[in-house]
Amino acid sequence: GAVVSQHPSWVICKSGTSVKIECRSLDFQATTMFWYRQFPKQSLMLMATSNEGSKATYEQGVEKDKFLINHASLTLSTLTVTSAHPEDSSFYICSAFRTSGSSEQYFGPGTRLTVT
Amino acid sequence: AQSVTQLDSQVPVFEEAPVELRCNYSSSVSVYLFWYVQYPNQGLQLLLKYLSGSTLVKGINGFEAEFNKSQTSFHLRKPSVHISDTAEYFCAVSDKGGGADGLTFGKGTHLIIQP
């Protein structure tokens, strides 16, 4: 159990367009989900904390108007990269915190975004 | 503010040899420590975690880690590695137990198992 999926796994978009990434907890409910960004050969950097039914909390330096986060249900959080630019190209990873059973964060497989 | 330092970006080891992946942290509050493994094209998987209690923590796949508060370290060890252990390993810290908070990660260590 405790599977987290992300869709799409890979997306290419043109500069100036928006792209939405979905993060789903498949077999548990998650009131809290997290979005991370990973550059090549770098660590994961926390972007924001997504709480179901409330506004996301963004880390310092992350533009909330550029990275829109919606946590509309207990199993789904979305990250929308608006007006994407090449510098937004990265690997985006979500995690979901399960409060029942083994309380820990479960990570999705990540989404590779390439902006051309 | 928290930070995590993984001293080695890459560690080559022969199969069946022991390995230690180093992790040092800094935190001004109570600390909770984690090791994750990332296999190619897969998400992160929790290897083990230290929340409280015994400083020696045993995890999955034969890995263990020891929390050393005086040295602010949480090194990961395995007595005998296998080819399948080839992966990226991340050390992470949180100031909220159980991972109910965004994690601060180290830069990762690429473990390369040589036959």
Side-chain angles (χ1 to χ4, degrees):
Chain A
V3 177
V4 176
S5 69
Q6 283 185 240
H7 179 78
S9 57
W10 188 33
V11 58
I12 301 174
C13 70
K14 292 187 176 182
S15 187
T17 62
S18 296
V19 62
K20 181 186 288 187
I21 302 169
E22 294 184 347
C23 176
R24 293 182 187 272
S25 54
L26 298 184
D27 49 4
F28 66 98
Q29 293 184 331
T31 55
T32 303
M33 291 184 173
F34 303 92
W35 286 96
Y36 296 84
R37 183 173 178 177
Q38 185 180 27
F39 292 101
K41 307 295 185 184
Q42 296 285 330
S43 180
L44 284 76
M45 299 295 293
L46 178 66
M47 297 175 66
T49 302
S50 169
N51 294 296
E52 188 266 338
S54 64
K55 290 184 178 180
T57 303
Y58 291 82
E59 295 299 300
Q60 191 173 6
V62 178
E63 299 176 59
K64 60 181 66 176
D65 293 330
K66 178 166 198 54
F67 298 100
L68 300 179
I69 292 172
N70 188 335
H71 194 157
S73 78
L74 289 173
T75 59
L76 173 65
S77 176
T78 60
L79 168 68
T80 301
V81 183
T82 63
S83 187
H85 291 281
E87 57 265 31
D88 298 325
S89 297
S90 191
F91 196 53
Y92 293 88
I93 300 173
C94 74
S95 70
F97 180 65
R98 188 174 85 169
T99 54
S100 62
S102 172
S103 299
E104 64 180 81
Q105 287 188 34
Y106 293 90
F107 285 79
T111 296
R112 172 80 56 196
L113 170 64
T114 301
V115 184
T116 60
Chain B
Q2 304 164 95
S3 68
V4 178
T5 302
Q6 290 183 245
L7 297 167
D8 305 299
S9 60
Q10 193 169 287
V11 173
V13 182
F14 286 105
E15 195 173 13
E16 298 183 5
V19 69
E20 178 180 83
L21 304 183
R22 296 180 292 171
C23 172
N24 288 86
Y25 68 91
S26 67
S27 176
S28 57
V29 297
S30 297
V31 66
Y32 305 93
L33 295 155
F34 308 81
W35 274 99
Y36 286 88
V37 59
Q38 185 179 32
Y39 298 104
N41 302 314
Q42 294 187 30
L44 276 73
Q45 180 182 2
L46 181 66
L47 276 177
L48 48 80
K49 60 185 175 184
Y50 171 78
L51 303 181
S52 65
S54 173
T55 57
L56 183 62
V57 181
K58 293 190 181 298
I60 62 172
N61 301 342
F63 284 94
E64 64 180 32
E66 186 157 17
F67 170 60
N68 188 319
K69 188 173 182 179
S70 62
Q71 296 188 7
T72 61
S73 68
F74 190 55
H75 300 333
L76 180 71
R77 302 186 183 99
K78 186 170 182 177
S80 176
V81 296
H82 189 266
I83 288 285
S84 59
D85 292 324
T86 297
E88 193 80 19
Y89 291 80
F90 292 95
C91 182
V93 64
S94 168
D95 61 7
K96 287 186 182 178
D101 192 15
L103 299 173
T104 299
F105 284 87
K107 290 190 173 183
T109 298
H110 188 196
L111 179 60
I112 301 168
I113 309 301
Q114 301 168 326

